[in-house]
Amino acid sequence: MSQEILQLVEKDSLKDDVPQFDVGDTVEVHIKILEGEKERIQKFAGTVLARSGSGTREMFVVRRIVAGEGVERKFPLHSPRVAEVVVKRSSVVRRAKLYYLRDRVGKAVRLKEQRRPVSG
Amino acid sequence: MANRLCPVSNDHKVYDMTKGILGQKVGMTQIYDESGIVIPVTVIQAGPCHILQLRTVERDGYEAVQLGFVDKKRPKGRRTQSSQASRSERGHVADISSKRTKRRKSAGVEISPKAECEPKHFIRELVGETDGYEVGQELTVTALADVKQVDVTGTSKGRGFSGVMKRHNFHGQRATHGVKKCHRHAGSTGMSASPSRLFKGVRMAGQYGNAKITVRNLDVVRVDAENNLILVRGGVPGPNGGYVIVRETNMV
């Protein structure tokens, strides 16, 4: 019963169209950034390492290599600041969390591409 | 509190303490506001509460509103279990023709009005002005609709007999450098031959938790009258499912 009440409370904060992507996908996250009065979109592209949590607390981790240094950012999936998540490429992965990619450098970071039928 | 010799003087009243409701902690979650900022909220299922009794200065020595929340089961057979409403509890909320009531009625004693509702599990009094309240009235969460900040009183989670590190945030002792089996102990508790006794109030191990705790000045994030919910920013004492009192804050 209490879980149902919590879901009811969270309902308003959940996105209507939740971005669809999986762990291992190469994505581009569009983040709304407020600079004074103006709002602009910043993009962060990388591989989805993990998804965690449920409801309004669901988060995902995106990793990319910037100037030879690994950079990870963790986003709340349902945050209004995360405007869009565009899937660029899907990969074949056999883990729910790809933390092993942190220990890899160069060519070893690559994941095998998964061809999906184009929907729509 | 109920002292006939020392009635509460009306001169000292500053706050309307009766603006409150009883509820049950559902749990915590987080929601987003318009600008996309996360607000950690505690969901409290509050009311509907029945007013079971009004305390008056003439009769009780103080003014208060007695609220009841969550119906208590009535006994099925002859035997009453502790989770079921006893005869006295049933008689508190509704008129059951007892010998004593009959005797008092015939003697011409005025019987105080009853709420005429189901017996209640959680009964608490909110001390303060009782104007505008009457016995049997049903209070819903809309009573707090225009309130910005609330105080929430509950019973904290019991931690049993706890050591000083958990109970008083002492640092304990070192892990190495010759410390022997005293890593979580307190240090010294006092002086030597003078005063050769322990001062009162020295913090030591003991029962921790399971106490009445009030968290003050919590922001009200949302009041959902349809589902009897009130969302407050931040944590509230007690486990999920624990009973709480939600009152308008008395913080200035």
Side-chain angles (χ1 to χ4, degrees):
Chain A
M1 186 61 204
S2 60
Q3 281 305 312
E4 288 161 28
I5 295 172
L6 289 181
Q7 279 170 9
L8 188 84
V9 170
E10 287 176 9
K11 211 169 65 185
D12 294 344
S13 290
L14 297 179
K15 280 180 181 167
D16 295 329
D17 50 339
V18 185
Q20 296 292 325
F21 60 91
D22 286 318
V23 170
D25 290 1
T26 305
V27 294
E28 198 175 69
V29 187
H30 295 209
I31 315 133
K32 282 184 196 161
I33 287 180
L34 210 65
E35 279 178 344
E37 290 292 291
K38 275 179 76 180
E39 198 180 67
R40 68 181 184 89
I41 300 263
Q42 193 190 56
K43 289 171 187 170
F44 186 84
T47 314
V48 179
L49 280 200
R51 290 177 69 144
S52 61
S54 65
T56 50
R57 296 169 302 281
E58 184 159 358
M59 311 279 278
F60 63 98
V61 182
V62 179
R63 178 182 171 90
R64 67 171 300 182
I65 309 288
V66 180
E69 194 65 39
V71 175
E72 280 179 24
R73 277 190 77 173
K74 197 170 187 179
F75 299 100
L77 183 64
H78 291 281
S79 168
R81 297 261 175 101
V82 174
E84 215 179 333
V85 181
V86 184
V87 180
K88 296 284 181 191
R89 185 175 175 273
S90 293
S91 311
V92 182
V93 289
R94 302 177 70 161
R95 302 273 178 282
K97 316 281 181 200
L98 305 182
Y99 296 138
Y100 65 87
L101 290 181
R102 289 171 176 168
D103 303 328
R104 299 198 175 178
V105 210
K107 273 189 176 178
V109 180
R110 288 174 308 166
L111 295 166
K112 192 180 170 190
E113 184 164 358
Q114 185 180 46
R115 303 273 176 198
R116 281 209 192 118
V118 180
S119 60
Chain B
M1 221 188 288
N3 191 342
R4 274 157 206 273
L5 300 172
C6 177
V8 174
S9 160
N10 279 324
D11 310 338
H12 297 295
K13 263 180 207 148
V14 185
Y15 316 110
D16 182 12
M17 296 283 279
T18 51
K19 199 166 188 179
I21 198 163
L22 310 182
Q24 203 165 16
K25 176 171 162 181
V26 177
M28 286 194 78
T29 181
Q30 57 188 35
I31 58 173
Y32 292 99
D33 71 355
E34 303 85 38
S35 55
I37 292 172
V38 167
I39 312 170
V41 291
T42 305
V43 182
I44 299 168
Q45 187 153 46
C49 296
H50 278 91
I51 295 181
L52 305 183
Q53 207 174 30
L54 293 178
R55 299 280 185 194
T56 57
V57 175
E58 300 85 61
R59 199 183 61 229
D60 308 297
Y62 66 104
E63 267 192 286
V65 180
Q66 192 183 79
L67 297 174
F69 179 58
V70 178
D71 291 348
K72 202 168 187 179
K73 270 190 200 154
R74 287 167 178 271
K76 289 213 178 83
R78 285 186 62 125
R79 293 178 67 186
T80 309
Q81 290 173 342
S82 60
S83 63
Q84 297 167 333
S86 65
R87 190 172 161 82
S88 58
E89 281 171 317
R90 283 176 276 146
H92 184 60
V93 294
D95 190 16
I96 51 174
S97 49
S98 64
K99 282 178 195 163
R100 180 169 179 266
T101 319
K102 279 178 193 158
R103 218 164 41 228
R104 292 182 76 199
K105 265 183 190 162
S106 62
V109 181
E110 197 189 333
I111 308 294
S112 55
K114 303 282 181 171
E116 301 299 337
C117 62
E118 284 295 296
K120 299 294 179 188
H121 240 284
F122 184 56
I123 299 172
R124 287 292 179 276
E125 289 182 0
L126 304 180
V127 179
E129 292 268 353
T130 57
D131 293 348
Y133 296 103
E134 54 185 87
V135 172
Q137 190 184 337
E138 202 181 58
L139 278 187
T140 61
V141 76
T142 47
L144 293 168
D146 56 342
V147 173
K148 293 230 168 56
Q149 274 90 24
V150 288
D151 294 344
V152 181
T153 306
T155 307
S156 61
K157 283 182 186 173
R159 289 161 179 87
F161 193 102
S162 301
V164 286
M165 284 183 72
K166 190 193 278 253
R167 192 173 182 224
H168 298 299
N169 297 327
F170 281 15
H171 288 284
Q173 292 179 33
R174 294 214 263 188
T176 57
H177 289 279
V179 176
K180 277 183 184 168
K181 297 175 184 175
C182 283
H183 306 287
R184 293 183 62 88
H185 283 222
S188 165
T189 51
M191 286 64 74
S192 186
S194 161
S196 64
R197 68 184 178 94
L198 202 56
F199 288 133
K200 277 184 180 175
V202 170
R203 292 176 296 169
M204 292 190 193
Q207 163 68 32
Y208 179 37
N210 193 20
K212 185 179 166 186
I213 305 280
T214 303
V215 181
R216 295 173 76 198
N217 215 20
L218 293 173
D219 290 343
V220 177
V221 178
R222 195 190 294 168
V223 175
D224 186 348
E226 198 182 319
N227 301 304
N228 293 315
L229 300 178
I230 180 165
L231 270 60
V232 297
R233 188 194 175 98
V236 158
N240 292 346
Y243 290 122
V244 292
I245 308 168
V246 185
R247 256 180 307 210
E248 184 177 24
T249 188
N250 59 4
M251 238 171 180
V252 183

